Amino acid sequence: MKYSPWKFEETLVMDFLVEAKYGFMRHLLFLIFFFFLMYSARFWHWYSGMYQYYVLFFVYAVLITMVYINIYVLVPRFFFKTKYVTYLVLLVLMGVVGLNFIGYGFRLFFEDFRVKNIIRESERGGVYEGILMCIPIILTTTTIKLLQKWINDSKRINELSNLTLNMELNELRNQINPHFLFNMLNNVKALIRTDPEKASVVIVKLSEFLRYQLYENSEEKTLLTSEIDFLSNFLNLEKIRRDHFSFDIQIHMDRRTVNSIFISPNLFTTFVENAVKHSIDISGRESYVKTEISIENKQLYFLCINSRSAYYSVSDQKNSGLGLANITRRLELLYGDAFELQIESGDKEYMVNLKIPV
């Protein structure tokens, strides 16, 4: 592979601007640079003795506070949310308040220590010089904040795309595998002899199951009703394969709402698959999977409960845990901090509680 120094330097600069491990160094360099920028101004020389340094640090503290208010309050809450007019008004207002506060501080604390032969207009010009130095700093920090957001968003999109692709391949490998199809076709073969009508129903459900996996699963968004139908077909097929197994899907919303909501495909599939896998009871007792889906205050709630047997353990623990890890990371990339996932494991039941915005 050909080595590219330019690409290496570009990556290093981008990492320095974004990565949390460089946060302290970023702020330290910025504070030092800003201090020397203020040090090169003239206004603090208009005062005598040590008070000129008090003036320098006073103005430095006020201006650096304004810069950080812009970085951590105004930009995230207004500029990033496309409230540009509000952002500009608040930025100007903050500048006016900061300038007046500096002027008030000069009159209250430092007036008696001003060099007498310095013309006040020159002093005021020196103060404005310091203020004007802050304007490009604020604009630069705003630009850097935008660049950080763009880099982070790009990383999240790329990681989400790669993760989604891997999950799709894993789903196809784990769900549409020869063993699964072999079992279902054997069941259909047996039903054709004993119950042809039921065999026809199984074939329809199996075709719908495969159609969703092969086509709708590849889209970025899918209808909530399609996801529910897929879960229903999957559980119905599992019920045919297993004796003493039951399931229940409860939808606490009207049909019109279900048909109008779009979600990322296969958000619930992993949880239901794990529920089916862990509900197996080798003693022959009744096992079950129960799911509930509802919407409240623009939040979608998904609940999945399955029975579990203390005498049964999943043979492939590694891949079982990998599915949950993948879906958790996918939720983080899709919703950031806006989702809640709670998993409770008891002696007789296993419960998953998921809340996502819609």
Side-chain angles (χ1 to χ4, degrees):
M1 182 180 293
K2 188 177 180 180
Y3 174 72
S4 174
W6 171 254
K7 186 175 182 180
F8 174 76
E9 293 176 1
E10 182 182 11
T11 304
L12 184 61
V13 171
M14 293 177 67
D15 287 344
F16 182 79
L17 291 175
V18 175
E19 295 293 334
K21 61 181 179 180
Y22 298 118
F24 176 78
M25 184 62 68
R26 282 198 305 267
H27 289 283
L28 181 62
L29 290 176
F30 169 70
L31 292 174
I32 293 174
F33 169 76
F34 192 82
F35 177 79
F36 280 106
L37 190 65
M38 297 299 298
Y39 188 84
S40 64
R42 296 174 297 172
F43 67 90
W44 60 284
H45 294 293
W46 308 135
Y47 294 83
S48 60
M50 288 297 297
Y51 287 94
Q52 60 181 338
Y53 297 103
Y54 296 157
V55 168
L56 174 62
F57 282 106
F58 171 70
V59 176
Y60 175 78
V62 174
L63 295 184
I64 208 70
T65 300
M66 293 168 57
V67 170
Y68 274 94
I69 289 175
N70 175 62
I71 293 175
Y72 290 106
V73 179
L74 299 184
V75 172
R77 294 189 179 183
F78 300 101
F79 196 91
F80 284 169
K81 296 182 179 180
T82 67
K83 299 178 181 179
Y84 303 122
V85 176
T86 304
Y87 168 76
L88 185 60
V89 170
L90 291 176
L91 187 62
V92 172
L93 182 62
M94 181 181 68
V96 172
V97 171
L99 181 61
N100 282 275
F101 181 77
I102 291 174
Y104 177 77
F106 281 173
R107 292 190 298 271
L108 183 63
F109 300 110
F110 308 112
E111 183 69 22
D112 296 336
F113 306 99
R114 186 171 60 87
V115 178
K116 301 301 182 182
N117 60 351
I118 296 297
I119 301 176
R120 184 175 295 274
E121 284 73 16
S122 298
E123 179 185 3
R124 186 176 301 172
V127 174
Y128 287 142
E129 179 185 3
I131 298 298
L132 290 175
M133 285 183 179
C134 191
I135 294 176
I137 292 295
I138 288 180
L139 295 177
T140 301
T141 52
T142 300
T143 303
I144 291 176
K145 201 70 178 175
L146 289 172
L147 180 61
Q148 288 177 334
K149 187 175 187 300
W150 176 78
I151 294 173
N152 284 324
D153 288 346
S154 298
K155 285 184 176 181
R156 288 177 66 249
I157 292 172
N158 290 334
E159 188 176 351
L160 180 60
S161 299
N162 292 334
L163 183 61
T164 302
L165 177 61
N166 291 333
M167 288 187 66
E168 289 173 357
L169 294 175
N170 288 333
E171 294 296 337
L172 290 173
R173 183 168 59 249
N174 294 332
Q175 293 176 4
I176 310 177
N177 56 63
H179 181 68
F180 175 83
L181 293 176
F182 179 76
N183 286 338
M184 290 311 306
L185 291 175
N186 272 344
N187 291 332
V188 170
K189 180 181 178 181
L191 287 172
I192 289 176
R193 298 174 182 174
T194 60
D195 193 343
E197 186 176 348
K198 189 175 182 180
S200 177
V201 173
V202 172
I203 292 174
V204 171
K205 291 187 178 297
L206 181 59
S207 66
E208 292 176 352
F209 175 87
L210 296 175
R211 179 183 59 80
Y212 181 87
Q213 282 294 318
L214 291 174
Y215 298 107
E216 295 191 39
N217 189 34
S218 62
E219 300 295 329
E220 183 179 354
K221 294 286 185 179
T222 186
L223 280 169
L224 177 59
T225 183
S226 297
E227 186 83 357
I228 293 172
D229 289 342
F230 168 76
L231 296 179
S232 177
N233 290 329
F234 175 71
L235 291 171
N236 267 306
L237 292 172
E238 188 65 25
K239 185 176 182 180
I240 294 171
R241 294 202 314 130
R242 282 167 50 186
D243 296 328
H244 309 295
F245 174 76
S246 62
F247 72 91
D248 182 30
I249 300 178
Q250 295 186 17
I251 313 299
H252 301 292
M253 66 189 84
D254 57 80
R255 193 68 185 175
R256 181 177 179 181
T257 303
V258 177
N259 290 329
S260 62
I261 294 177
F262 286 85
I263 63 172
S264 294
N266 276 345
L267 276 186
F268 310 139
T269 305
T270 302
F271 300 122
V272 174
E273 281 184 336
N274 280 326
V276 168
K277 191 182 301 182
H278 288 85
S279 67
I280 295 176
D281 194 322
I282 57 177
S283 64
R285 291 180 298 181
E286 186 71 20
S287 59
Y288 59 85
V289 172
K290 300 177 181 178
T291 61
E292 293 184 16
I293 301 176
S294 60
I295 287 184
E296 183 178 347
N297 298 325
K298 296 184 179 180
Q299 299 287 325
L300 190 147
Y301 294 85
F302 171 78
L303 174 67
C304 183
I305 302 175
N306 66 270
S307 59
R308 60 181 305 179
S309 172
Y311 304 102
Y312 175 76
S313 61
V314 179
S315 58
D316 193 358
Q317 291 287 349
K318 181 179 179 181
N319 289 332
S320 177
L322 182 61
L324 286 176
N326 281 342
I327 190 63
T328 302
R329 182 56 183 154
R330 189 179 177 206
L331 288 167
E332 291 174 352
L333 293 170
L334 285 169
Y335 303 108
D337 297 330
F339 81 97
E340 294 181 12
L341 177 61
Q342 296 179 345
I343 299 177
E344 298 179 11
S345 180
D347 295 334
K348 295 183 178 180
E349 283 188 338
Y350 188 89
M351 182 174 68
V352 172
N353 230 320
L354 174 64
K355 182 176 75 172
I356 59 174
V358 293

